[in-house]
Amino acid sequence: MRKLTVRHFIDGEGRIDLQLRLIAGEGGLDKEIKYGEINRPGLALAGFFDHFAYDRIQIFGQGETAFMNQLSYDQKIKTYNDFFSFDLLCCIFTHEYVPDKMFLELAEKKNVPIFLSKRATTRFITLFVHVIDEIFAEQITLHATLVDVFGVGVLLTGKSGVGKSETALELIERGHRLVADDMVIVKKIDESLLMGTGSEILKHHIEIRGIGIVNVREIFGIRSVRNRKRIEMVILLEEWEPEKEYDRLGLDENKYNIMEIEVPYITVPVRPGRNIPVIIETAALNQRLKKIGINSARELDEKIKKWILTEGQK
Amino acid sequence: MIEKDVIVNSDAGIHARPAMMIVREAMKYPCEVMLIKDSIEADAKSIMSVLGLAIISGTKLTIRANGEGESELVDFLVELIEKDFRA
């Protein structure tokens, strides 16, 4: 399990979606987030601290801020000091509400990061839970290449040297988009969704034997890349073995297991002169047809069976 | 299968050139070889994979090989890293 810190909200994966602004308590950014859960601190502010989930992420909405506003100076001193006597993880204020000076000073002193969000509370919580789930999702790193081919997330696997990167390059040349080459971080977002991204540092770089490392985004432009893509099929590239039986019909569907999720899987033999990118494009389109319920192989088979029963009998 | 641990001590960590030295050596052997850092596995025959591990000085790496020439390759890589990539 990865160690996640509050810093992830502004520096890590959460940064783009959450759009949070840190206004105090920078010293607490390295606190570990143990539970990806939130708490509305209304009851705590009112002085009821039983079962106060101080180690969760505190979300201050309009109710909390209105309550804080109507407190007298003396009440504030007591309430805030009680509140900050707990080892708080962090606080997020929605509606971009900036808490008063006393609150911010205490936060700074106690190293409790305070963030602002532009969004309304309910909207923010929905988004936040989604982002947190993703950050906490189970993940593995695969030695593979991920390309978006006609909107289908195709994970290319195979031994080193079989030509994954070269194939990806040719697909990019044909207008498809690269997510990651050689190292794909796969996250299991829920029971049926695998999301693939590249590593932060390698982002959109590709190594081509003979040229070296190139930056795909710089060479082919922004339209040739994307940051993340759902993995919808796996294609294993392997050296052509004359003795091996390859699928000639496509009637049976093979599955590739990634973190207990089954992904449609095909093996494509590589041989000089075989146009692999076209084969991959066709496989991706065929996968899309299957998804909407059209299975070419099965339909042809049905047609032939029917013909045998009717026309063939004449 | 053979597995050995090694600590990277070279100041600059494993940047492009050291990564290339690892990959070049790994390619000479038919066996499968992985570098493992914090349970993240990288194929030692792929430059991008090795670079993707972002190995800084002080990182503990596990080298795992499986197949023909495994022990020879692992020993060589351990030595290469221990000698800070100075051949």
Side-chain angles (χ1 to χ4, degrees):
Chain A
M1 186 85 189
R2 281 192 311 158
K3 192 182 162 195
L4 295 161
T5 61
V6 180
R7 197 179 288 280
H8 264 89
F9 296 154
I10 48 164
D11 265 354
E13 301 105 291
R15 158 186 104 240
I16 297 164
D17 294 320
L18 293 174
Q19 301 272 342
L20 289 175
R21 189 152 65 86
L22 179 75
I23 55 162
E26 207 183 333
L29 282 181
D30 290 316
K31 281 190 197 170
E32 189 180 351
I33 305 165
K34 292 196 188 79
Y35 320 97
E37 281 159 29
I38 58 155
N39 183 52
R40 294 291 299 270
L43 283 172
L45 291 171
F48 186 75
F49 287 102
D50 292 9
H51 301 284
F52 176 40
Y54 62 88
D55 51 0
R56 296 189 190 169
I57 297 138
Q58 308 296 325
I59 306 226
F60 289 71
Q62 272 173 321
E64 283 84 358
T65 52
F67 180 82
M68 283 158 71
N69 275 336
Q70 54 83 48
L71 292 173
S72 69
Y73 185 77
D74 293 338
Q75 282 173 321
K76 268 187 188 169
I77 295 180
K78 177 165 178 6
T79 306
Y80 291 178
N81 276 308
D82 287 349
F83 188 67
F84 278 103
S85 67
F86 289 86
D87 183 17
L88 301 167
L89 184 66
C90 71
C91 302
I92 299 173
F93 285 80
T94 56
H95 295 277
E96 250 186 350
Y97 174 84
V98 184
D100 52 65
K101 214 171 133 214
M102 193 196 297
F103 191 91
L104 291 178
E105 277 170 7
L106 273 165
E108 198 64 51
K109 205 174 102 194
K110 295 278 188 174
N111 288 324
V112 179
I114 308 292
F115 298 100
L116 298 188
S117 166
K118 272 188 200 145
R119 294 168 200 270
T121 317
T122 321
R123 289 297 233 163
F124 179 77
I125 292 174
T126 314
L127 173 83
F128 193 72
V129 168
H130 183 77
V131 173
I132 286 281
D133 274 354
E134 196 170 327
I135 294 177
F136 271 88
E138 188 188 341
Q139 72 169 58
I140 51 163
T141 306
L142 294 178
H143 177 228
T145 295
L146 181 59
V147 188
D148 171 349
V149 182
F150 294 125
V152 180
V154 178
L155 189 77
L156 301 171
T157 66
K159 287 203 182 108
S160 19
V162 78
K164 292 188 293 292
S165 302
E166 284 79 0
T167 305
L169 192 66
E170 205 161 337
L171 285 165
I172 293 160
E173 241 280 308
R174 298 169 73 98
H176 304 292
R177 295 185 284 175
L178 176 77
V179 182
D181 179 46
D182 255 357
M183 192 183 210
V184 181
I185 299 165
V186 185
K187 283 192 170 186
K188 183 180 175 179
I189 311 278
D190 63 38
E191 293 317 302
S192 63
L193 202 162
L194 291 169
M195 192 60 87
T197 54
S199 94
E200 236 356 270
I201 24 170
L202 294 184
K203 218 160 211 182
H204 306 138
H205 283 76
I206 196 164
E207 188 235 345
I208 300 294
R209 249 147 265 185
I211 310 175
I213 298 168
V214 295
N215 184 338
V216 170
R217 211 187 90 175
E218 296 289 316
I219 295 183
F220 298 95
I222 190 75
R223 70 169 188 174
S224 64
V225 294
R226 61 180 294 170
N227 288 336
R228 43 193 258 153
K229 178 70 189 130
R230 180 179 184 161
I231 296 168
E232 284 149 304
M233 74 179 306
V234 175
I235 298 184
L236 172 72
L237 299 178
E238 64 171 29
E239 304 272 355
W240 185 292
E241 286 174 51
E243 284 83 39
K244 195 174 164 179
E245 288 278 327
Y246 292 102
D247 195 355
R248 305 293 293 266
L249 293 171
L251 281 174
D252 309 310
E253 222 177 54
N254 294 311
K255 299 283 186 191
Y256 193 91
N257 191 305
I258 302 173
M259 289 183 279
E260 268 82 63
I261 295 181
E262 309 251 276
V263 187
Y265 159 67
I266 59 167
T267 303
V268 173
V270 179
R271 190 172 62 170
R274 256 191 131 213
N275 193 334
I276 304 301
V278 173
I279 295 171
I280 290 170
E281 279 180 339
T282 312
L285 291 174
N286 200 32
Q287 185 55 38
R288 269 176 69 179
L289 280 178
K290 278 186 191 166
K291 227 173 153 182
I292 56 167
I294 302 170
N295 187 322
S296 313
R298 204 170 297 151
E299 268 162 43
L300 180 65
D301 195 32
E302 298 290 319
K303 222 163 134 185
I304 290 168
K305 279 182 192 154
K306 217 165 139 195
W307 187 86
I308 291 170
L309 284 176
T310 56
E311 298 295 310
Q313 300 293 336
K314 285 180 189 166
Chain B
M1 194 191 74
I2 175 165
E3 219 179 82
K4 271 188 187 170
D5 289 347
V6 62
I7 293 186
V8 179
N9 281 319
S10 61
D11 291 339
I14 299 188
H15 53 98
R17 278 183 205 286
M20 187 199 66
M21 290 166 87
I22 291 174
V23 172
R24 199 162 53 195
E25 204 51 43
M27 292 298 282
K28 292 182 188 163
Y29 294 80
C31 59
E32 196 176 81
V33 55
M34 301 297 230
L35 301 184
I36 304 145
K37 173 195 148 187
D38 304 334
S39 78
I40 300 175
E41 296 186 8
D43 189 332
K45 294 186 179 184
S46 148
I47 290 242
M48 299 307 280
S49 238
V50 175
L51 287 177
L53 282 183
I55 302 157
I56 55 168
S57 183
T59 303
K60 191 190 121 193
L61 272 186
T62 305
I63 304 172
R64 181 198 294 154
N66 195 1
E68 208 182 319
E70 52 180 41
S71 59
E72 214 180 315
L73 175 58
V74 170
D75 288 342
F76 188 92
L77 291 180
V78 167
E79 202 186 312
L80 184 72
I81 293 168
E82 278 175 348
K83 281 186 173 169
D84 295 349
F85 302 96
R86 280 186 287 266

